[in-house]
Amino acid sequence: MLQREENVIVAEVDGKPMLLNLRSWTYVALNETGERIWELLAEPLNRAELLARLADEFDAPAEAIGADLDSFLGPLLEQGFLAPAQ
């Protein structure tokens, strides 16, 4: 299960959503898919739940969505934007 870190906010910069970690002062720009994943993580979810929801919304093979999901979530976990759910 993953959840958003409490110290992360979303800010719009030049019309694009950005995540800002208020503890480390690091930021990440989000594309449309990244923004949707962040929205879905308003509640704690596991990878399988995220993958299922994204597969319902985006017209792409589940394998491709899963690979993209992993490449998005990994750095967010490492940089403190996400955390394992309590």
Side-chain angles (χ1 to χ4, degrees):
M1 299 290 282
L2 296 172
Q3 65 184 24
R4 298 174 182 177
E5 276 288 353
E6 293 178 4
N7 59 319
V8 175
I9 62 168
V10 178
E12 195 167 302
V13 178
D14 293 330
K16 298 177 185 176
M18 307 273 290
L19 299 180
L20 174 61
N21 185 322
L22 298 174
R23 187 171 299 151
S24 65
W25 291 102
T26 55
Y27 64 91
V28 173
L30 298 177
N31 62 16
E32 178 184 341
T33 306
E35 184 176 17
R36 182 62 184 136
I37 293 168
W38 190 257
E39 290 170 356
L40 290 171
L41 286 170
E43 61 182 278
L45 295 172
N46 65 35
R47 183 189 179 280
E49 292 168 326
L50 277 170
L51 182 58
R53 291 186 189 190
L54 292 170
D56 285 343
E57 294 182 28
F58 292 94
D59 185 27
E63 298 82 24
I65 293 172
D68 289 345
L69 182 61
D70 292 340
S71 67
F72 179 76
L73 295 177
L76 290 183
L77 279 163
E78 290 172 13
Q79 296 174 24
F81 291 92
L82 295 174
Q86 302 294 331

